[in-house]
Every structure is written in structure tokens, then in C-alpha cells.
Amino acid sequence: MLSYRHGFHAGNHADVLKHVVLLRLLRHMKRKDKPLLFVDTHAGAGSYALDSGFAAKNAEFESGIARLWQRADLPEVVADYVAAVRTLNPDGMLQRYPGSPRIAADALRATDHLRLYELHSTESALLQQEFSEAGRRVRVDAGDGFAGLAAVLPPLSRRGLVLIDPSYEVGTDYRAVLTALRGGLERFATGTYVVWYPMLARREAQELPARLVRAAGTDYLHVALQVQAPSPERFGLHGSGLVVVNPPWKSAEEIGAVMPFLTEALAQDAAARYVFDVRET
Ligand code: SAM
């Protein structure tokens, strides 16, 4: 049984990094006329209250999105992301945070499609509700995103972005993301894939980025943000990273340019640092 609820972590440093990168990639992909398919294999609830419930309890957003909320010196790429969060908070108070499906739905066009998978029954019901008025453009599946991916690739338009964002609550996720990435690339080699991973003391987590890069076998961007030194008790998330396969042209450059700013803004101690590694052929 799944116990992870993303609401506890909504808007934290890992969400900031993931959603800055996701939005930038989507902005680039929209520059071509052809319709896009966005697939979120682990979609979550779609959006989250920050002033009540799970998020208020942990208040992880205070060391994430809240640190950017009032800053007047945001680089354009980060300002664009904060503006996306502002659309859910029109009165200027930070009370709600958009998950990846909401960020994508708001960024994409009427001709683009979203396919969202969420296995947790409570979360998938919330996700259905979030998109109850979206019509045929958005399809929510209350099922396993790893299993569902094969059925939707390649998209008819041959343009698509796949976000693979498990919680790694179950140890099999470390292997499953690799299998999903390899399977996706076999079916749809030119697709853009974004795989999120946690920075943890756990060996599988530390080995995952290099494995993802090897599985990519083509152009990639590896970006990661460590916000604090690993804890001596070997417990907890000290950062996160993303491996993007087939990043759109020039998107890696734009993301790399804001990493020093994000590192400074989200640092929790002097061990804060970032990784930026690109292969473009
Ligand atoms: N992508 C979301 C975002 O950025 O806003 C956050 C997703 S959260 C990290 C991971 C979600 O995956 C959880 O809501 C969990 O219930 C769900 N989940 C776990 N295993 C799954 C699976 N095999 N297929 C689909 N969803 C799954």
C-alpha cells in the first residue's frame, strides 16, 4: 500500500528545481507548431493547499517556493516559474502550489494533450477533480504509470515530453525508472524524458544518476541541487536531481544559467552546491 502523499512536500526545494526545469522545457517545446503530448507517470494530486493540511504541517515550502516568492531579483527563467505559481495565488498570498500536471496544463496549448497517471486512490480522485472541466485534452488514469507508458508512446504527433517522478517509496522504483526510460526510448527515440531522483545516503540513489545517463545513450542534461550536507544519521533528502534525455535545443543552457542563483536562494547550509552536466551532439 502506498503511504507517500506529495502534499507533505509540495513546493519544497526539490519541487522548485523540478518545476523550473519542467516549465523551461515545455516553453521550448511549444515553439514548434506541432501538438505535444505530456505524460506524467506519477502525477500526484495536481495542486496543493499550503496553508492547511499536509503542507502546512511540514512547511517544507518555506525553504522552497517561499524563499523566491517576494524576491525582486529573480532571473527570467525563475520569474517565469514563480509567475506560474502566482496564477494559483491571484491575491499575492502564497496559499496554493501547482503540481506538475497543473504547471503543464497551464503552460500548454489547446491542441496539446496531457496523460496523467496516479496510483494512490485518494490522490487520483483529487487529480480527477482538478481536471474535471478540462475535457478531452486531459486524461487522468488511476493506475500504474510505469505500466501505462508503453501504451501511449509514440504519440501520433511524434512530439512529447514524459515526466517520470516517483517518490522512491518502494525500492523497486530505482530499477523501474531505468526500465521505463529504456522502454520509452525504444518506442519513441526522439521524445524528451525527465527523470527525477532524490539525493539520499542510500546506495541505489547515489548510483542512479550515472545509470540514467548511461541508459539515455544520447543527448542529455543532468542537473542537481544539493541544499545541505548529507545528515550524519544518513537520513533524509539533502537534495534532488533530474536527468533530461533529449533536452530541446538551448534549454540546457538556460537552465544551467540559473543554477548558481537557485543554489544561493535555496541553500540550507554551506555544503549547498549544484551539478550541471550536458551532452549535446
Ligand atoms: N509529479 C508530481 C509533481 O511534480 O507535482 C509529484 C508526484 S509524487 C513525487 C509521486 C506520486 O506517484 C505519488 O502521488 C504516488 O502516489 C504516485 N505513485 C506511486 N507509484 C506509482 C505508480 N506506479 N504509478 C503511478 N503513480 C504512482
Side-chain angles (χ1 to χ4, degrees):
M1 200 185 114
L2 298 169
S3 59
Y4 177 91
R5 303 292 300 269
H6 192 67
F8 281 115
H9 312 288
N12 71 0
H13 59 84
D15 263 7
V16 172
L17 175 67
K18 176 181 36 179
H19 296 151
V20 165
V21 170
L22 174 64
L23 187 57
R24 190 64 357 214
L25 298 173
L26 292 171
R27 296 270 189 245
H28 273 263
M29 292 182 78
K30 266 172 57 177
R31 288 178 190 166
K32 289 198 179 143
D33 284 342
K34 264 190 174 182
L36 276 172
L37 174 69
F38 171 72
V39 185
D40 203 336
T41 60
H42 296 67
S47 72
Y48 307 87
L50 296 179
D51 55 354
S52 62
F54 298 133
K57 203 167 173 187
N58 282 13
E60 289 189 21
F61 67 93
E62 283 179 1
S63 50
I65 179 66
R67 291 206 185 172
L68 306 173
W69 195 244
Q70 301 291 358
R71 282 184 70 150
D73 61 342
L74 299 173
E76 201 183 315
V77 164
V78 181
D80 185 35
Y81 152 75
V82 173
V85 183
R86 282 196 189 280
T87 59
L88 265 71
N89 299 280
D91 65 2
M93 300 265 289
L94 178 59
Q95 290 170 320
R96 209 160 175 85
Y97 187 78
S100 48
R102 172 49 58 208
I103 288 177
D106 289 354
L108 292 176
R109 306 156 293 192
T111 48
D112 299 321
H113 285 85
L114 290 87
R115 191 72 186 251
L116 314 172
Y117 294 90
E118 174 52 52
L119 198 53
H120 192 294
S121 55
T122 313
E123 299 294 85
S124 64
L126 291 168
L127 189 61
Q128 293 274 8
Q129 207 178 310
E130 174 88 21
F131 291 106
S132 58
E133 286 167 17
R136 291 176 56 192
R137 180 177 170 247
V138 180
R139 179 162 161 188
V140 174
D141 270 272
D144 182 346
F146 287 132
L149 189 56
V152 294
L153 297 183
L156 279 177
S157 64
R158 294 292 196 276
R159 301 209 68 233
L161 186 152
V162 178
L163 173 62
I164 304 175
D165 180 27
S167 59
Y168 299 86
E169 178 190 6
V170 285
T172 49
D173 280 349
Y174 291 95
R175 192 177 291 266
V177 292
L178 287 162
T179 308
L181 178 59
R182 289 193 196 102
L185 283 165
E186 261 169 40
R187 284 170 185 274
F188 178 35
T190 55
T192 297
Y193 298 82
V194 182
V195 185
W196 181 86
Y197 71 87
M199 282 184 165
L200 295 165
R202 185 180 173 140
R203 187 173 52 82
E204 289 109 309
Q206 292 179 351
E207 290 174 356
L208 188 56
R211 287 193 169 152
L212 287 167
V213 161
R214 274 200 300 278
T218 181
D219 288 2
Y220 70 83
L221 156 68
H222 174 205
V223 66
L225 174 55
Q226 173 176 307
V227 293
Q228 61 182 22
S231 89
E233 299 85 43
R234 300 173 60 77
F235 182 74
L237 195 71
H238 52 271
S240 65
L242 299 156
V243 173
V244 181
V245 183
N246 294 323
W249 191 60
K250 297 255 187 212
S251 61
E253 210 175 288
E254 287 184 13
I255 291 162
V258 299
M259 288 313 292
F261 175 86
L262 284 179
T263 309
E264 174 269 319
L266 301 177
Q268 294 182 17
D269 68 24
R273 62 180 186 88
Y274 68 90
V275 172
F276 178 71
D277 173 30
V278 190
R279 178 181 135 180
E280 278 173 334
T281 50

